[in-house]
Protein backbone atom coordinates (compact mmCIF):
# COMPACT_ATOMS: atom_id res chain seq x y z
CA UNK A 1 0.00 0.00 0.00
CA UNK A 2 1.24 3.50 -0.87
CA UNK A 3 0.36 6.44 1.36
CA UNK A 4 0.82 9.00 -1.44
CA UNK A 5 0.69 9.34 -5.21
CA UNK A 6 1.98 12.25 -7.25
CA UNK A 7 0.73 12.92 -10.78
CA UNK A 8 0.84 16.04 -12.95
CA UNK A 9 1.10 18.63 -10.17
CA UNK A 10 -1.34 16.92 -7.80
CA UNK A 11 -0.34 15.08 -4.63
CA UNK A 12 -2.93 12.50 -3.62
CA UNK A 13 -2.76 11.44 0.02
CA UNK A 14 -4.59 8.88 2.15
CA UNK A 15 -6.51 10.97 4.69
CA UNK A 16 -5.24 9.32 7.88
CA UNK A 17 -7.67 11.30 10.05
CA UNK A 18 -10.48 9.19 8.52
CA UNK A 19 -8.91 5.79 9.24
CA UNK A 20 -9.87 3.14 10.22
CA UNK A 21 -13.52 3.89 9.33
CA UNK A 22 -12.94 5.16 5.80
CA UNK A 23 -10.16 4.87 3.25
CA UNK A 24 -10.38 8.27 1.57
CA UNK A 25 -7.90 10.35 -0.38
CA UNK A 26 -7.42 14.08 -0.51
CA UNK A 27 -5.85 15.92 -3.43
CA UNK A 28 -3.35 18.72 -2.89
CA UNK A 29 -2.81 20.99 -5.87
CA UNK A 30 -1.12 23.90 -4.07
CA UNK A 31 1.82 23.90 -1.66
CA UNK A 32 -0.47 25.35 1.03
CA UNK A 33 -2.78 22.32 0.63
CA UNK A 34 0.22 20.08 1.32
CA UNK A 35 1.22 22.20 4.35
CA UNK A 36 -2.33 21.96 5.71
CA UNK A 37 -2.26 18.17 5.24
CA UNK A 38 0.89 18.01 7.40
CA UNK A 39 -0.32 20.35 10.17
CA UNK A 40 -3.79 18.75 10.14
CA UNK A 41 -2.33 15.20 10.54
CA UNK A 42 -3.85 14.02 7.24
CA UNK A 43 -0.32 12.73 6.80
CA UNK A 44 2.07 12.09 9.67
CA UNK A 45 5.11 9.97 10.50
CA UNK A 46 8.65 11.33 10.15
CA UNK A 47 9.61 9.96 6.70
CA UNK A 48 6.21 10.66 5.11
CA UNK A 49 6.05 14.31 6.14
CA UNK A 50 9.55 14.75 4.67
CA UNK A 51 8.46 13.33 1.30
CA UNK A 52 5.22 15.36 1.31
CA UNK A 53 7.17 18.55 1.97
CA UNK A 54 9.47 17.72 -0.98
CA UNK A 55 6.46 17.36 -3.30
CA UNK A 56 4.86 20.45 -1.74
CA UNK A 57 7.92 22.53 -2.60
CA UNK A 58 7.87 21.15 -6.12
CA UNK A 59 4.19 22.10 -6.51
CA UNK A 60 4.90 25.58 -5.11
CA UNK A 61 7.93 26.06 -7.37
CA UNK A 62 5.99 24.91 -10.45
CA UNK A 63 3.30 27.52 -9.77
CA UNK A 64 5.85 30.34 -9.95
CA UNK A 65 5.23 32.57 -12.99
CA UNK A 66 6.81 35.86 -14.04
CA UNK A 67 6.09 38.22 -16.89
CA UNK A 68 9.52 37.32 -18.27
CA UNK A 69 8.50 33.65 -18.45
CA UNK A 70 5.01 34.40 -19.78
CA UNK A 71 6.32 36.42 -22.78
CA UNK A 72 9.65 34.76 -23.32
CA UNK A 73 10.05 36.26 -26.81
CA UNK A 74 10.45 39.79 -25.37
CA UNK A 75 12.57 38.92 -22.38
CA UNK A 76 15.94 40.53 -21.72
CA UNK A 77 18.92 39.25 -19.72
CA UNK A 78 18.05 41.54 -16.80
CA UNK A 79 14.43 40.22 -16.84
CA UNK A 80 15.82 36.71 -16.61
CA UNK A 81 18.10 37.69 -13.73
CA UNK A 82 15.35 39.35 -11.70
CA UNK A 83 12.99 36.44 -12.41
CA UNK A 84 15.61 34.00 -11.14
CA UNK A 85 16.05 36.05 -7.97
CA UNK A 86 12.27 36.22 -7.52
CA UNK A 87 12.03 32.48 -8.13
CA UNK A 88 14.61 31.77 -5.42
CA UNK A 89 12.97 34.27 -3.00
CA UNK A 90 9.69 32.46 -3.54
CA UNK A 91 11.38 29.07 -3.13
CA UNK A 92 12.98 30.14 0.16
CA UNK A 93 9.60 31.32 1.49
CA UNK A 94 8.02 27.98 0.60
CA UNK A 95 10.88 26.14 2.36
CA UNK A 96 10.45 28.28 5.50
CA UNK A 97 6.71 27.58 5.35
CA UNK A 98 7.26 23.80 5.31
CA UNK A 99 9.84 23.97 8.11
CA UNK A 100 7.17 25.60 10.30
CA UNK A 101 4.60 22.81 9.83
CA UNK A 102 5.90 20.42 12.54
CA UNK A 103 8.98 20.83 14.76
CA UNK A 104 10.24 17.44 15.98
CA UNK A 105 10.80 15.03 13.07
CA UNK A 106 14.12 15.92 11.44
CA UNK A 107 13.23 14.21 8.15
CA UNK A 108 11.10 17.24 7.28
CA UNK A 109 14.08 19.61 7.66
CA UNK A 110 16.42 17.13 5.93
CA UNK A 111 14.08 16.86 2.95
CA UNK A 112 13.46 20.62 2.62
CA UNK A 113 17.22 21.33 2.80
CA UNK A 114 17.92 18.62 0.22
CA UNK A 115 15.39 20.09 -2.23
CA UNK A 116 16.59 23.66 -1.69
CA UNK A 117 20.23 22.53 -1.97
CA UNK A 118 19.70 20.85 -5.35
CA UNK A 119 17.89 23.94 -6.65
CA UNK A 120 20.75 26.23 -5.54
CA UNK A 121 23.40 23.97 -7.05
CA UNK A 122 21.56 24.24 -10.40
CA UNK A 123 21.02 28.00 -10.21
CA UNK A 124 22.76 28.56 -13.55
CA UNK A 125 20.01 26.60 -15.35
CA UNK A 126 16.69 28.08 -16.55
CA UNK A 127 13.77 28.37 -14.13
CA UNK A 128 11.85 25.67 -15.99
CA UNK A 129 14.84 23.32 -15.77
CA UNK A 130 15.17 24.02 -12.03
CA UNK A 131 11.46 23.26 -11.57
CA UNK A 132 11.99 19.88 -13.29
CA UNK A 133 15.07 19.16 -11.17
CA UNK A 134 13.10 19.88 -7.98
CA UNK A 135 10.32 17.51 -9.02
CA UNK A 136 12.81 14.76 -9.93
CA UNK A 137 14.51 15.16 -6.55
CA UNK A 138 11.15 14.80 -4.75
CA UNK A 139 10.51 11.62 -6.77
CA UNK A 140 13.99 10.35 -5.88
CA UNK A 141 13.37 10.99 -2.17
CA UNK A 142 10.11 9.02 -2.49
CA UNK A 143 11.69 6.02 -4.21
CA UNK A 144 14.69 6.06 -1.85
CA UNK A 145 12.30 5.97 1.11
CA UNK A 146 10.77 2.72 -0.15
CA UNK A 147 14.11 1.00 -0.81
CA UNK A 148 15.46 2.30 2.51
CA UNK A 149 12.51 0.78 4.36
CA UNK A 150 13.02 -2.57 2.64
CA UNK A 151 16.68 -2.53 3.74
CA UNK A 152 15.74 -1.56 7.33
CA UNK A 153 13.27 -4.46 7.32
CA UNK A 154 15.87 -6.93 6.12
CA UNK A 155 18.53 -5.72 8.59
CA UNK A 156 16.06 -5.78 11.48
CA UNK A 157 14.70 -9.21 10.57
CA UNK A 158 18.08 -10.70 11.57
CA UNK A 159 17.38 -9.59 15.17
CA UNK A 160 13.96 -11.22 15.41
CA UNK A 161 13.84 -14.76 16.73
CA UNK A 162 11.37 -17.43 15.66
CA UNK A 163 8.14 -17.39 17.75
CA UNK A 164 8.70 -13.84 19.04
CA UNK A 165 6.14 -11.50 20.52
CA UNK A 166 7.08 -7.96 19.51
CA UNK A 167 5.68 -4.86 21.16
CA UNK A 168 5.41 -1.70 19.03
CA UNK A 169 4.22 1.84 19.64
CA UNK A 170 2.60 4.47 17.41
CA UNK A 171 2.45 3.87 13.64
CA UNK A 172 5.66 3.29 11.74
CA UNK A 173 4.25 1.47 8.72
CA UNK A 174 3.22 2.32 5.17
CA UNK A 175 1.16 5.18 6.58
CA UNK A 176 4.18 6.79 8.26
CA UNK A 177 6.40 6.40 5.19
CA UNK A 178 5.84 6.08 1.43
CA UNK A 179 5.39 2.31 1.79
CA UNK A 180 6.39 -0.69 3.96
CA UNK A 181 7.53 1.24 7.04
CA UNK A 182 10.47 1.32 9.44
CA UNK A 183 9.75 -0.50 12.74
CA UNK A 184 6.66 -2.00 11.11
CA UNK A 185 8.87 -2.80 8.11
CA UNK A 186 11.01 -4.99 10.40
CA UNK A 187 7.83 -6.71 11.62
CA UNK A 188 6.61 -7.14 8.01
CA UNK A 189 9.97 -8.53 6.97
CA UNK A 190 10.05 -11.05 9.87
CA UNK A 191 6.52 -12.17 8.91
CA UNK A 192 7.43 -12.42 5.20
CA UNK A 193 10.52 -14.49 6.04
CA UNK A 194 8.22 -17.08 7.61
CA UNK A 195 8.86 -16.41 11.30
CA UNK A 196 5.96 -17.12 13.55
CA UNK A 197 5.58 -13.71 15.17
CA UNK A 198 2.93 -12.02 17.23
CA UNK A 199 2.65 -8.27 17.62
CA UNK A 200 1.41 -6.35 20.64
CA UNK A 201 0.19 -2.94 19.51
CA UNK A 202 0.03 -0.02 21.97
CA UNK A 203 -3.07 2.07 21.25
CA UNK A 204 -0.83 5.19 21.54
CA UNK A 205 -2.89 7.80 23.35
CA UNK A 206 -3.88 10.49 22.72
CA UNK A 207 -3.90 10.40 18.91
CA UNK A 208 -4.35 6.61 18.71
CA UNK A 209 -1.91 5.95 15.87
CA UNK A 210 -1.53 2.40 17.22
CA UNK A 211 -5.20 1.42 17.34
CA UNK A 212 -6.36 3.43 14.31
CA UNK A 213 -3.42 2.95 11.95
CA UNK A 214 -1.03 0.15 13.01
CA UNK A 215 -3.87 -2.24 13.80
CA UNK A 216 -5.44 -1.37 10.42
CA UNK A 217 -2.18 -2.10 8.56
CA UNK A 218 -1.47 -5.36 10.40
CA UNK A 219 -5.02 -6.57 9.81
CA UNK A 220 -4.67 -5.91 6.07
CA UNK A 221 -1.44 -7.94 5.99
CA UNK A 222 -2.82 -10.78 8.13
CA UNK A 223 0.00 -10.40 10.64
CA UNK A 224 -1.18 -11.75 14.03
CA UNK A 225 -1.53 -8.98 16.63
CA UNK A 226 -3.33 -7.92 19.77
CA UNK A 227 -4.18 -4.34 20.75
CA UNK A 228 -3.50 -3.10 24.29
CA UNK A 229 -3.85 0.21 26.13
CA UNK A 230 -0.53 1.97 26.69
CA UNK A 231 -0.61 1.43 30.44
CA UNK A 232 -0.70 -2.38 30.02
CA UNK A 233 2.75 -2.85 28.50
CA UNK A 234 4.60 -3.08 31.86
CA UNK A 235 2.22 -5.80 32.99
CA UNK A 236 2.95 -7.96 29.93
CA UNK A 237 6.69 -7.32 30.11
CA UNK A 238 6.85 -8.42 33.76
CA UNK A 239 4.92 -11.58 32.90
CA UNK A 240 7.56 -12.46 30.28
CA UNK A 241 5.09 -12.10 27.40
CA UNK A 242 7.20 -9.67 25.34
CA UNK A 243 10.42 -10.76 23.58
CA UNK A 244 11.44 -7.38 22.18
CA UNK A 245 10.22 -3.83 21.62
CA UNK A 246 10.63 -2.10 18.24
CA UNK A 247 9.78 1.56 17.70
CA UNK A 248 10.50 4.18 15.06
CA UNK A 249 12.09 7.58 15.58
CA UNK A 250 11.42 11.21 14.76
CA UNK A 251 14.92 12.44 15.50
CA UNK A 252 18.03 10.63 16.73
CA UNK A 253 20.85 12.73 18.18
CA UNK A 254 24.50 11.87 17.38
CA UNK A 255 24.79 10.03 20.70
CA UNK A 256 21.73 7.85 19.97
CA UNK A 257 19.24 9.68 22.22
CA UNK A 258 15.95 9.23 20.39
CA UNK A 259 12.81 11.37 20.17
CA UNK A 260 9.75 9.34 19.27
CA UNK A 261 6.02 9.27 20.02
CA UNK A 262 5.08 10.12 23.59
CA UNK A 263 5.21 6.96 25.70
CA UNK A 264 8.35 5.57 24.06
CA UNK A 265 10.59 6.58 26.98
CA UNK A 266 8.39 4.76 29.51
CA UNK A 267 8.47 1.65 27.29
CA UNK A 268 12.27 1.76 27.05
CA UNK A 269 12.70 2.03 30.83
CA UNK A 270 10.25 -0.84 31.36
CA UNK A 271 12.06 -2.95 28.75
CA UNK A 272 15.40 -2.27 30.50
CA UNK A 273 13.94 -3.21 33.90
CA UNK A 274 12.68 -6.49 32.42
CA UNK A 275 15.82 -7.33 30.35
CA UNK A 276 13.94 -7.04 27.06
CA UNK A 277 15.81 -5.76 23.97
CA UNK A 278 14.63 -2.31 22.90
CA UNK A 279 15.23 -1.55 19.20
CA UNK A 280 14.85 1.71 17.27
CA UNK A 281 14.33 1.34 13.50
CA UNK A 282 14.84 4.46 11.36
CA UNK A 283 16.47 5.66 8.15
CA UNK A 284 19.81 7.45 8.49
CA UNK A 285 17.98 10.65 7.44
CA UNK A 286 16.42 10.59 10.93
CA UNK A 287 19.85 10.98 12.56
CA UNK A 288 20.59 14.60 13.33
CA UNK A 289 24.37 14.80 13.49
CA UNK A 290 24.15 18.54 14.25
CA UNK A 291 23.04 17.84 17.82
CA UNK A 292 25.13 16.10 20.45
CA UNK A 293 22.28 14.75 22.54
CA UNK A 294 18.52 14.55 22.81
CA UNK A 295 18.13 17.61 25.07
CA UNK A 296 18.45 19.77 21.96
CA UNK A 297 15.34 18.23 20.34
CA UNK A 298 12.22 20.43 20.22
CA UNK A 299 9.21 18.51 21.48
CA UNK A 300 5.94 19.45 19.78
CA UNK A 301 3.10 20.45 22.11
CA UNK A 302 -0.29 19.68 20.57
CA UNK A 303 -3.88 20.81 21.07
CA UNK A 304 -5.37 19.97 24.48
CA UNK A 305 -8.53 18.78 22.73
CA UNK A 306 -6.67 15.63 21.65
CA UNK A 307 -6.74 14.65 25.33
CA UNK A 308 -10.02 16.10 26.55
CA UNK A 309 -12.15 14.90 23.62
CA UNK A 310 -12.67 11.78 21.53
CA UNK A 311 -14.38 12.49 18.20
CA UNK A 312 -15.54 15.86 19.55
CA UNK A 313 -17.16 14.27 22.62
CA UNK A 314 -15.79 15.57 25.94
CA UNK A 315 -14.17 12.93 28.15
CA UNK A 316 -12.88 15.41 30.75
CA UNK A 317 -14.41 18.41 32.56
CA UNK A 318 -14.55 21.62 30.52
CA UNK A 319 -11.88 24.32 30.93
CA UNK A 320 -9.20 22.21 32.66
CA UNK A 321 -5.44 22.58 32.13
CA UNK A 322 -3.86 19.91 29.96
CA UNK A 323 -0.30 18.96 28.98
CA UNK A 324 0.04 17.32 25.57
CA UNK A 325 3.63 16.75 24.44
CA UNK A 326 3.48 14.69 21.22
CA UNK A 327 6.95 13.14 21.66
CA UNK A 328 9.42 12.23 24.36
CA UNK A 329 13.14 11.57 24.39
CA UNK A 330 14.63 8.16 25.22
CA UNK A 331 18.21 8.37 26.50
CA UNK A 332 20.67 6.18 24.56
CA UNK A 333 21.40 3.92 27.57
CA UNK A 334 17.98 2.26 27.15
CA UNK A 335 18.45 1.45 23.45
CA UNK A 336 19.85 -1.99 22.58
CA UNK A 337 20.39 -1.29 18.87
CA UNK A 338 19.49 1.19 16.14
CA UNK A 339 18.43 -0.46 12.90
CA UNK A 340 19.04 1.58 9.73
CA UNK A 341 19.17 0.86 6.00
CA UNK A 342 22.96 0.81 6.29
CA UNK A 343 23.10 -1.79 9.03
CA UNK A 344 22.48 -2.36 12.73
CA UNK A 345 24.38 -0.14 15.17
CA UNK A 346 25.07 -0.99 18.79
CA UNK A 347 26.26 1.09 21.77
CA UNK A 348 28.31 3.17 22.23
CA UNK A 349 26.18 5.12 19.75
CA UNK A 350 28.18 8.33 20.07
CA UNK A 351 31.09 6.42 18.48
CA UNK A 352 29.20 4.03 16.20
CA UNK A 353 26.41 6.11 14.58
CA UNK A 354 28.97 8.28 12.81
CA UNK A 355 30.37 5.18 11.07
CA UNK A 356 27.09 4.88 9.12
CA UNK A 357 27.79 7.90 6.92
O1 LIG B 1 2.78 12.51 15.51
P1 LIG B 1 3.12 11.46 14.48
O2 LIG B 1 2.01 10.51 14.20
O3 LIG B 1 3.69 12.09 13.23
O4 LIG B 1 4.28 10.64 15.16
C1 LIG B 1 4.87 9.57 14.46
C2 LIG B 1 5.86 8.83 15.26
O5 LIG B 1 6.19 9.18 16.38
C3 LIG B 1 6.54 7.67 14.60
O6 LIG B 1 6.85 6.69 15.54
C4 LIG B 1 7.83 8.15 13.93
O7 LIG B 1 7.56 9.24 13.09
C5 LIG B 1 8.50 7.10 13.16
S1 LIG B 1 7.57 6.76 11.69
C6 LIG B 1 8.39 5.72 10.68
Amino acid sequence: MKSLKYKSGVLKLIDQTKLPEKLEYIECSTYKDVGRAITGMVVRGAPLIGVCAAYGISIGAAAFKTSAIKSSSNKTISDEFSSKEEFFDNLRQICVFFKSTRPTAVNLFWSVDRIYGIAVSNKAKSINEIKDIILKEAQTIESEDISTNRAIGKNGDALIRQDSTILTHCNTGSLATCAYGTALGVIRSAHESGKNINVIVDETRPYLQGSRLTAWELKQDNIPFKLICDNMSGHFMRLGKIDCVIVGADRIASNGDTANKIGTYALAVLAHENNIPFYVAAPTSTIDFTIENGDAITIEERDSKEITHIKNLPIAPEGIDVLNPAFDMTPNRYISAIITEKGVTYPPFDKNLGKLI
Side-chain angles (χ1 to χ4, degrees):
M1 184 194 55
K2 288 203 69 196
S3 52
L4 85 173
K5 274 180 200 145
Y6 173 87
K7 203 176 165 196
S8 316
V10 178
L11 186 63
K12 206 171 157 189
L13 304 167
I14 292 183
D15 183 348
Q16 301 190 24
T17 64
K18 300 275 166 56
L19 288 170
E21 298 103 289
K22 288 182 212 147
L23 178 56
E24 276 181 10
Y25 291 82
I26 67 151
E27 293 194 348
C28 302
S29 49
T30 69
Y31 79 89
K32 291 217 162 139
D33 289 344
V34 181
R36 269 191 294 271
I38 297 173
T39 51
M41 300 289 274
V42 167
V43 284
R44 27 66 51 204
L48 182 58
I49 59 177
V51 177
C52 287
Y55 276 116
I57 298 168
S58 154
I59 291 169
F64 178 82
K65 287 193 176 53
T66 65
S67 50
I69 291 177
K70 278 184 214 147
S71 57
S72 54
S73 52
N74 302 332
K75 83 183 168 190
T76 63
I77 289 174
S78 70
D79 278 343
E80 264 184 32
F81 180 74
S82 63
S83 302
K84 190 76 75 67
E85 288 309 305
E86 274 177 60
F87 175 79
F88 272 92
D89 279 350
N90 181 59
L91 189 64
R92 268 190 295 277
Q93 278 170 30
I94 296 170
C95 290
V96 169
F97 166 78
F98 276 105
K99 283 187 174 186
S100 71
T101 51
R102 291 193 74 189
T104 304
V106 75
N107 310 61
L108 176 73
F109 300 85
W110 170 86
S111 182
V112 171
D113 288 342
R114 180 165 159 179
I115 293 285
Y116 185 69
I118 194 112
V120 169
S121 60
N122 285 283
K123 206 169 181 176
K125 301 214 164 84
S126 75
I127 291 176
N128 281 338
E129 282 171 322
I130 300 169
K131 289 177 178 180
D132 286 346
I133 289 166
I134 290 175
L135 174 58
K136 282 208 180 73
E137 193 68 4
Q139 288 167 326
T140 305
I141 295 175
E142 178 189 352
S143 57
E144 279 176 9
D145 180 65
I146 300 171
S147 53
T148 292
N149 294 337
R150 289 272 172 187
I152 291 172
K154 197 161 171 276
N155 293 337
D157 182 19
L159 301 174
I160 309 296
R161 286 195 303 267
Q162 181 60 269
D163 302 320
S164 286
T165 299
I166 304 164
L167 188 142
T168 192
H169 192 64
C170 196
N171 172 267
T172 59
S174 298
L175 294 166
T177 59
C178 295
Y180 206 66
T182 56
L184 210 58
V186 174
I187 290 169
R188 280 202 163 98
S189 182
H191 176 73
E192 283 164 13
S193 67
K195 285 177 187 151
N196 174 33
I197 56 159
N198 261 285
V199 185
I200 299 290
V201 178
D202 269 356
E203 66 173 347
T204 318
R205 275 279 288 158
Y207 211 72
L208 302 175
Q209 288 93 333
S211 57
R212 293 191 304 109
L213 309 177
T214 301
W216 185 78
E217 286 198 41
L218 290 170
K219 189 165 178 240
Q220 290 213 332
D221 280 11
N222 287 318
I223 300 175
F225 73 94
K226 288 193 175 68
L227 179 67
I228 62 166
C229 297
D230 300 332
N231 50 6
M232 296 171 185
S233 44
H235 170 72
F236 291 114
M237 288 194 205
R238 196 186 65 76
L239 291 178
K241 305 273 186 204
I242 310 286
D243 296 299
C244 68
V245 179
I246 309 182
V247 297
D250 288 87
R251 193 183 293 231
I252 302 172
S254 350
N255 71 344
D257 288 353
T258 294
N260 190 50
K261 182 52 56 193
I262 191 75
T264 303
Y265 171 46
L267 280 180
V269 175
L270 281 166
H272 187 259
E273 162 72 10
N274 289 283
N275 289 315
I276 296 167
F278 183 91
Y279 301 126
V280 171
T284 47
S285 54
T286 304
I287 307 171
D288 184 350
F289 286 105
T290 69
I291 55 169
E292 258 176 53
N293 61 56
D295 293 331
I297 301 174
T298 304
I299 300 290
E300 177 181 7
E301 185 73 25
R302 293 189 58 84
D303 192 340
S304 60
K305 223 176 156 197
E306 290 178 358
I307 293 187
T308 57
H309 289 68
I310 289 183
K311 292 192 167 177
N312 270 332
L313 288 176
I315 54 161
E318 217 182 312
I320 58 167
D321 286 337
V322 168
L323 298 170
N324 186 13
F327 302 95
D328 58 27
M329 196 279 284
T330 300
N332 59 8
R333 63 182 175 278
Y334 296 113
I335 300 170
S336 314
I338 297 177
I339 305 159
T340 74
E341 75 280 15
K342 297 193 176 160
V344 179
T345 300
Y346 295 91
F349 296 116
D350 53 352
K351 296 218 165 49
N352 293 340
L353 277 178
K355 293 180 192 160
L356 290 172
I357 49 159

